[in-house]
Amino acid sequence: MALFYLLFLALICTSNAQSADPTSDFCNITSKINSPRVSANIDNLLAELVSTINTQDGFTIVSKGENEDQVYGLAQCRGDIISKDCLTCIQDASKEIRKRCPDQSDARIWYDYCFLRYDNKKFFGQSYTSFGIILYNLRNVTEPDVFNKELGTSIDKIRSEALNKKAFATGKSKISNFINLYALVQCTRDLSQLSCAQCLAAAIANFPRVCKDKEGCQVLYSSCYVRYEIYPFFFPLDPQEKLVKRSMKDYSSLVLRP
């Protein structure tokens, strides 16, 4: 196992991909790592999440250890991301999460392209919406009635598509001759269809409360997330489009707590 972890570290250190900044993270301060065995199990778990992510079609779950030292982990890439970028994102996440949450056995990290989580409690198949983060654009749309109507229609459509596919769907629609709406929904693939539906419903319910009339919004939960923007942010792109990376100075954030 020690050799496996050394190889994992070597893989990370020799990666030529440039690290992106995480969108957000969560370190549960009540979940202190209580033994060196738990810390070692987390390291081994992260190594296996990295090594298996591409062989499992952008999603993998792993457990390490036994009894009170056991830990559970999940990694998932966004449904439109190619294997190479998926692996790079999970590599980055596995390094950064240990830097940000060095003493916690319950930690989560979100990137634009992927999500990674581990916990000393088994969470597979359960929908978690008690903690979340909302990122919303500071600018308001110019025609809120037209925009909100199209947003509701688009989100309902891709939510239905996601529940009948691999818990992922995107949509593009026209607001005006000059403005398009881009929307995306995704659940972690350990969820049942019902749990995915419940998670997405809870996430979308934040739109009118927090993101009303905003040009863009993203709700991040541990089991699902939803996002919309007025610029292209997912693949594939239309020939005339160019991917736009979010500038965080244009967004504010709100933490959702129990």
Side-chain angles (χ1 to χ4, degrees):
M1 186 62 70
L3 177 60
F4 178 61
Y5 186 56
L6 288 173
L7 291 173
F8 160 65
L9 289 177
L11 175 64
I12 289 178
C13 292
T14 57
S15 173
N16 292 322
Q18 191 173 31
S19 297
D21 292 328
T23 305
S24 193
D25 62 76
F26 171 69
C27 309
N28 188 344
I29 60 174
T30 67
S31 65
K32 292 291 184 180
I33 294 175
N34 55 18
S35 77
R37 289 189 301 275
V38 172
S39 185
N41 286 336
I42 291 173
D43 289 337
N44 292 330
L45 178 145
L46 290 170
E48 190 162 335
L49 288 175
V50 169
S51 69
T52 59
I53 186 67
N54 278 348
T55 62
Q56 299 297 323
D57 193 24
F59 170 76
T60 186
I61 55 176
V62 173
S63 65
K64 290 292 179 182
E66 298 178 348
N67 302 320
E68 67 273 9
D69 296 326
Q70 192 164 12
V71 290
Y72 306 85
L74 177 153
Q76 179 166 307
C77 293
R78 217 173 66 191
D80 59 320
I81 302 304
I82 62 173
S83 295
K84 179 182 176 181
D85 292 339
C86 174
L87 177 58
T88 298
C89 189
I90 297 301
Q91 288 174 342
D92 292 344
S94 67
K95 291 186 296 182
E96 194 65 27
I97 197 170
R98 283 296 259 160
K99 292 178 184 177
R100 297 187 176 216
C101 309
D103 302 318
Q104 286 76 41
S105 58
D106 175 12
R108 304 145 207 203
I109 192 163
W110 293 263
Y111 285 75
D112 273 351
Y113 286 5
C114 68
F115 169 71
L116 188 149
R117 176 185 183 185
Y118 58 80
D119 200 339
N120 61 344
K121 298 180 177 64
K122 190 173 184 179
F123 59 86
F124 304 150
Q126 301 178 49
S127 178
Y128 285 83
T129 56
S130 58
F131 174 86
I133 298 119
I134 301 179
L135 303 173
Y136 58 92
N137 198 301
L138 296 172
R139 293 188 294 269
N140 288 340
V141 297
T142 56
E143 297 182 86
D145 291 341
V146 175
F147 184 88
N148 291 327
K149 181 179 179 180
E150 184 56 42
L151 175 63
T153 300
S154 180
I155 290 291
D156 284 346
K157 180 181 178 182
I158 62 173
R159 174 172 54 181
S160 297
E161 291 177 1
L163 295 176
N164 293 307
K165 293 182 180 179
K166 290 185 177 180
F168 172 81
T170 61
K172 174 185 174 182
S173 55
K174 183 177 288 293
I175 301 294
S176 70
N177 290 334
F178 306 102
I179 299 175
N180 292 319
L181 173 67
Y182 302 83
L184 179 152
V185 301
Q186 183 164 18
C187 292
T188 56
R189 283 162 45 191
D190 59 317
L191 296 188
S192 67
Q193 186 181 64
L194 176 60
S195 294
C196 178
Q198 291 172 337
C199 188
L200 291 177
I204 293 165
N206 290 289
F207 282 176
R209 185 171 64 88
V210 181
C211 311
K212 183 176 173 59
D213 302 339
K214 298 300 182 183
E215 287 188 356
C217 184
Q218 183 173 14
V219 181
L220 301 168
Y221 282 139
S222 300
S223 304
C224 70
Y225 70 90
V226 295
R227 181 180 177 185
Y228 74 84
E229 307 286 355
I230 60 170
Y231 55 77
F233 67 92
F234 54 76
F235 303 101
L237 296 169
D238 290 341
Q240 73 276 15
E241 291 180 336
K242 182 179 180 180
L243 188 73
V244 176
K245 292 186 178 181
R246 172 169 44 204
S247 173
M248 294 309 297
K249 66 180 177 60
D250 296 327
Y251 289 77
S252 187
S253 63
L254 173 69
V255 177
L256 303 172
R257 299 187 184 276

